[in-house]
Amino acid sequence: MRPNSPHAGYFLYHSIGMYPGKEEELAAATAEFAQIWAAPDDKQWGYVLLKRQDFIDYWRRIINVPKGSLTTCESVTDGMHKLMRALPDGQLRGKRVLVSEDCFPSMHFLLAGLAPKMGFTLDTVPKRDGASWVEPDDFMESWGRDVGLALLTWVTSTASARVDLEPLVAHGREMGSMIGVDITQAAGLIPFDAMNPKVDFTLSTSLKWMCGTPGAGILYVDKALALELQPEARGWFSQNNPFSWDLDKFEYAPDIRRFDSGTPGSVAALASLPALKWHAAQNHFELASWNRELVDLIIKRADALNLPLHSPREVDRRGGSVMLRFPDKAEAAAVTGALGVEGLSVDFRGQLLRLSPGNVTAKETIDDVFDLTEEVMTRRRRRFAGRSNLSNVTMKGSEMSSSDVLGALGGMLLSGDIKIVDCTAQLGPETPIIHLPEDFAVNTPQVEIHKISEYDADGPFFAWNWLKLGEHSGTHFDAPHHWISGKDHEDGYTDTLDMQRTIAPVNVIDCSAESEADNDFLLTAEHVKAWEREHGDINPGEWVVMRTDWDKRAHDVALFLNDDPDPHEDGSHSPGPTTDCIDYLLGKGIVGWGTQCIGTDAGMAGKFSPPYPAHNYLHRDNCFGLASLCNLDQLPPKGAILIAAPLKIENGTGSPIRAMALVPKQ
C-alpha cells in the first residue's frame, strides 16, 4: 500500500484524523446542510434527523450493536455523565467505581466530581513505579464484589497500551459489576465488538481514526440495561412519541432514545458522515496492516536514536499510536515545532512525542521525521555556551588560544577596529510601557526618577536618585520565569541564569521595509530560511533579532505602542514573529530572540494560536527575550556580538538592560 496524498507527513490521528478528499467531502456536506437549512420551506427537520440516523447506523455497524441501543452525545465525557446520572438513585451508594490511572483524564475529572454527590468511592488503579501504563492484572486484582461500576480504557491516550477485554469482562461478570469501555483511541482502526465480550455500555467519538468532527460522540447502552435507566435530562425526544404533549403523561422511550432529551444536536453527526462513509468503504484489514508496518519502522528508528519507547513493543498490546520519551518537555516541544515547519505533523504531551501513522502517511516520511529529529537534537545539544565540543577558535587560517583572542579583541576595541553600538533606549518617565487590558492584568507603572540629593543639604558632596520601575521597562530582558511556560526552569530567573549565554553572536534579520509598509508584518519561517540562504546559517547558541526600525517611533508613546483605536479590540499593531518562525528558530538551537517593539511578540499575537508564541515557546525552552532594542540598523546581518546582561534581581523575571553590540569596523 502506497498512499498518494498531500498529507504524506501526517501523524496526528490522536486529534482529528485524515483521509483522502476529506476537505472536499466535508465542505460538500456542510454546504448541502446550509442550502437545505436556509431554504424557505419545512423540509429541514426531515433531512437533518435522517442524516443523524444515518450517522447512528454507521456507528452501530462499526461496533456491532442492535437498533435502538446507540445514540449521539457531544463527547465521551458527556456520554458518561448522561449514563451516570441515569442510574437508579442509590445504585452506587457505598460502592466503588473502578478506573485506571491512565484513563482519559476528563473521565476521571467527571467521576471525581460525581463521587460525593452519588455516594460512591472512586478507586483509581495506579501504574507500577516507572511503568507507562496500568497492568491489566493490577486492575483485576483491585476489582472486587464491591465494585458497582468499572470503566475500562481499551487503548490509553498516554501510551497507546491496549488491554485484552475478554478476561477483564469475564472477571467483572463474576463480580456482578456494571462494565463500560471507552474505545476512543482505537475505534475505526482495530476491530471492536460490543457484543463479544458483551459490555453494558460503550463510549467513543468520531475523531481520531474515524476522521470525523468534534461534537460527534456516541453512547451505546445494552438494551436491557437501558430500560432500567432514567436519564436526568429528559425532553420531548426522550419519549416514544416526541409529539406527545400531555404534560402529565411523560413516559421514557423503550430504548436508547430516552437519552435524547430535547431537540438533538445533529450538525456534528451530519458533518462526520462523509468520514464514516469513507471508512465503511475501506478494507479495514489493510488499514490496520499499514499502520502496524509504519509503527514498526518508527520503533526501529527510535531505537537507533536511543529514544525510549513509552508504548508496548508487542503489536497485540498496543493501539495504532506510538509514544517516545524525550529528555524533557522543552526538547519534545522543540522537535515537534521543527517538524511542523517542514510539514511533518506530530504532537507532544509533556516529554512524550506522539506519532500515529495512518492511511495518508507515506512510509518515506518516517525517515524524514527521524533525520530531522536527530539534526534538531544535535544542534540543541550545542546551544548552551561553554558546554559544546567546539573548543578551538580558528582565525585567519591559524589556531588561536582564548588568551590570544581576548588580547586581540582588547586591542581592536582600543583602536576602534571594533566599535560598540548602543542598542538601548533611554529609560525615563517618557519611556513607552506596554499597556494590557485593565480587566485582564495589572499594568507596569511608568518609570519614575526621584532625586535623593544633588550637592545640597540632603547630600553635600554627591548627587543620586532613586527609581521606580518595572522589570520589563524600556529596553529589557525577558527571563524564562516571565511566562508560565518557563516557570519550572531553576536557572530561569535573572539571578540564576547562566550568564555565559547572554553574550553571543547575533543574527539581524532586516524587516524594516516590510514593517513600514505593514505595521502588522509577520516574520515567517520561510522568511528566515530565505535570509539564511543569503547570509548563512543561524547557529546554536546565537541571538536572532528582528530589525524593524521601530525605535524611530520611540519619541511618541502613542506611535510606538500603536494601539488599535477600537476600545473593544485588545491588541496593537506592531510587527513580530509567527508561530512557525519561533518553532524554526528553536529547532536551530538559538539562545534568544529580540525585537525593537514593546514586546517580543507581534502586537496582535494575543489572537494567534497559541497566543503570544514568542513568549510561550521561548521561555518554555529556557530561552531569552529582548524587547525595545535600538539602532539595529547599525549592525550587520552577521558578524556582530550582542551583550544583553540583566541585573541580578532576586527571583527576577526580567530586567532593564544596557544592550550593546560589538561590531567590526567597516
Side-chain angles (χ1 to χ4, degrees):
M1 182 176 181
R2 170 65 169 82
N4 180 17
S5 166
H7 307 291
Y10 189 83
F11 293 83
L12 287 179
Y13 287 77
H14 304 281
S15 305
I16 296 173
M18 193 68 64
Y19 69 92
K22 178 179 179 179
E23 181 179 354
E24 295 79 8
E25 292 188 1
L26 179 57
T30 51
E32 181 183 84
F33 164 74
Q35 181 182 24
I36 291 174
W37 193 255
D41 55 35
D42 62 351
K43 309 298 184 185
Q44 293 89 350
W45 283 112
Y47 166 82
V48 167
L49 295 177
L50 180 61
K51 292 291 186 182
R52 176 176 181 261
Q53 188 58 50
D54 285 346
F55 171 88
I56 289 172
D57 288 340
Y58 272 107
W59 261 108
R60 283 198 308 103
R61 291 190 284 272
I62 290 168
I63 65 173
N64 187 36
V65 296
K67 288 184 178 181
S69 65
L70 187 145
T71 190
T72 58
C73 57
E74 186 172 320
S75 62
V76 292
T77 314
D78 176 54
M80 188 69 185
H81 182 257
K82 290 177 184 291
L83 181 125
M84 294 293 290
R85 298 305 284 175
L87 294 173
D89 188 42
Q91 178 169 321
L92 293 179
R93 192 172 304 280
K95 295 187 176 182
R96 287 188 297 141
V97 169
L98 195 65
V99 297
S100 60
E101 183 185 351
D102 52 6
C103 72
F104 189 59
S106 188
M107 294 294 217
H108 200 279
F109 300 154
L110 169 69
L111 294 171
L114 289 177
K117 297 177 181 179
M118 298 180 65
F120 64 81
T121 299
L122 180 60
D123 190 354
T124 305
V125 181
K127 293 181 286 189
R128 297 175 185 177
D129 288 344
S132 302
W133 57 85
V134 174
E135 290 292 344
D137 290 346
D138 294 343
F139 195 91
M140 198 176 301
E141 186 176 339
S142 298
W143 196 340
R145 297 190 181 278
D146 60 337
V147 172
L149 183 151
L151 177 64
L152 306 177
T153 301
W154 185 32
V155 173
T156 70
S157 62
T158 52
S160 196
R162 174 158 51 115
V163 298
D164 183 357
L165 291 173
E166 189 169 347
L168 287 167
V169 172
H171 178 79
R173 294 301 175 209
E174 291 182 13
M175 298 300 106
S177 308
M178 185 183 304
I179 305 170
V181 58
D182 174 3
I183 65 169
T184 305
Q185 299 297 327
L189 178 70
I190 300 172
F192 174 82
D193 186 344
M195 312 304 290
N196 183 29
K198 195 171 188 294
V199 295
D200 296 307
F201 65 94
T202 300
L203 297 149
S204 188
T205 74
S206 301
L207 293 169
K208 308 180 192 300
W209 306 99
M210 294 308 308
C211 305
T213 67
I218 60 103
L219 168 66
Y220 155 75
V221 180
D222 175 74
K223 296 188 77 168
L225 172 63
L227 297 178
E228 302 173 13
L229 305 181
Q230 296 189 353
E232 193 172 59
R234 62 186 193 176
W236 68 311
F237 265 77
S238 305
Q239 306 175 107
N240 197 38
N241 175 15
F243 295 99
S244 173
W245 302 117
D246 192 327
L247 301 183
D248 298 320
K249 292 187 178 179
F250 174 86
E251 186 175 350
Y252 284 109
D255 56 20
I256 195 68
R257 288 176 297 154
R258 59 181 55 206
F259 280 91
D260 285 348
S261 184
T263 306
S266 303
V267 176
L270 181 152
S272 295
L273 262 180
L276 297 185
K277 291 179 179 178
W278 167 83
H279 180 266
Q282 303 308 302
N283 182 318
H284 297 157
F285 175 80
E286 283 190 2
L287 289 178
S289 297
W290 181 246
N291 168 263
R292 286 195 298 270
E293 182 179 347
L294 298 190
V295 170
D296 286 343
L297 290 174
I298 289 171
I299 293 174
K300 182 178 180 180
R301 285 300 310 264
D303 287 345
L305 281 183
N306 294 316
L307 287 173
L309 186 63
H310 194 80
S311 300
R313 201 169 281 274
E314 304 86 350
V315 65
D316 60 347
R317 295 196 63 196
R318 67 170 186 257
S321 307
V322 61
M323 285 69 167
L324 307 175
R325 195 161 55 249
F326 275 65
D328 52 48
K329 177 181 178 180
E331 192 82 346
V335 168
T336 299
L339 291 171
V341 169
E342 305 306 327
L344 299 165
S345 301
V346 305
D347 77 324
F348 74 100
R349 292 292 185 274
Q351 68 185 103
L352 299 180
L353 194 74
R354 311 195 308 177
L355 300 102
S356 300
N359 64 89
V360 298
T361 311
K363 185 185 298 186
E364 61 268 21
T365 62
I366 293 173
D367 283 334
D368 296 337
V369 165
F370 284 93
D371 289 348
L372 183 54
T373 295
E374 183 175 18
E375 183 180 334
V376 169
M377 293 180 70
T378 299
R379 283 199 300 257
R380 287 170 56 79
R381 280 194 291 269
R382 296 171 47 205
R383 69 192 180 114
F384 291 102
R387 304 183 206 173
S388 75
N389 58 3
L390 302 179
S391 57
N392 295 322
V393 176
T394 302
M395 184 177 291
K396 294 182 179 178
S398 62
E399 289 196 359
M400 298 180 65
S401 70
S402 56
S403 297
D404 293 335
V405 172
L406 284 176
L409 174 62
M412 291 177 183
L413 286 168
L414 290 173
S415 68
D417 287 336
I418 291 178
K419 66 177 182 176
I420 304 293
V421 174
D422 188 358
C423 299
T424 316
Q426 187 176 57
L427 190 64
E430 303 304 317
T431 297
I433 304 294
I434 193 168
H435 292 160
L436 301 172
E438 291 185 3
D439 57 351
F440 174 70
V442 176
N443 274 299
T444 297
Q446 288 297 126
V447 175
E448 296 180 16
I449 303 177
H450 299 275
K451 184 173 71 174
I452 299 174
S453 70
E454 190 175 13
Y455 328 119
D456 51 26
D458 293 324
F461 309 122
F462 41 85
W464 54 2
N465 304 309
W466 67 271
L467 308 180
K468 178 180 178 180
L469 73 164
E471 293 175 318
H472 301 267
S473 299
T475 301
H476 65 271
F477 183 103
D478 289 347
H481 270 267
H482 174 48
W483 211 253
I484 189 170
S485 57
K487 66 182 179 64
D488 296 324
H489 293 297
E490 292 183 4
D491 58 350
Y493 294 106
T494 55
D495 60 333
T496 61
L497 59 84
D498 181 357
M499 287 299 297
Q500 187 142 355
R501 300 177 68 203
T502 64
I503 303 174
V506 60
N507 302 272
V508 183
I509 302 177
D510 186 357
C511 307
S512 55
E514 295 89 343
S515 299
E516 183 177 3
D518 178 7
N519 290 172
D520 290 312
F521 172 74
L522 298 176
L523 182 67
T524 67
E526 285 305 314
H527 285 120
V528 178
K529 290 178 183 180
W531 182 91
E532 285 185 297
R533 286 193 290 272
E534 181 177 356
H535 300 290
D537 285 348
I538 294 168
N539 297 309
E542 295 183 343
W543 289 103
V544 177
V545 296
M546 180 180 181
R547 176 190 162 192
T548 58
D549 292 347
W550 208 256
D551 54 330
K552 293 178 172 52
R553 296 168 170 248
H555 64 282
D556 184 324
V557 172
L559 190 63
F560 190 82
L561 296 179
N562 209 26
D563 287 333
D564 193 284
D566 185 346
H568 303 291
E569 185 71 63
D570 295 334
S572 60
H573 297 281
S574 58
T578 60
T579 299
D580 77 323
C581 175
I582 298 298
D583 273 331
Y584 179 72
L585 293 175
L586 292 178
K588 301 289 287 187
I590 65 169
V591 68
W593 158 264
T595 73
Q596 294 183 278
C597 300
I598 196 69
T600 55
D601 272 295
M604 285 294 178
K607 302 180 185 301
F608 291 4
S609 179
Y612 307 109
H615 286 82
N616 191 350
Y617 288 3
L618 280 170
H619 301 320
R620 178 195 66 198
D621 210 23
N622 202 8
C623 291
F624 311 138
L626 303 175
S628 295
L629 293 167
C630 293
N631 299 325
L632 296 185
D633 56 335
Q634 299 181 36
L635 275 58
K638 290 183 80 73
I641 302 292
L642 182 63
I643 302 171
L647 296 172
K648 196 171 183 178
I649 301 171
E650 183 178 359
N651 293 330
T653 69
S655 164
I657 59 173
R658 189 67 177 260
M660 297 178 289
L662 307 183
V663 179
K665 186 177 180 180
Q666 295 300 321

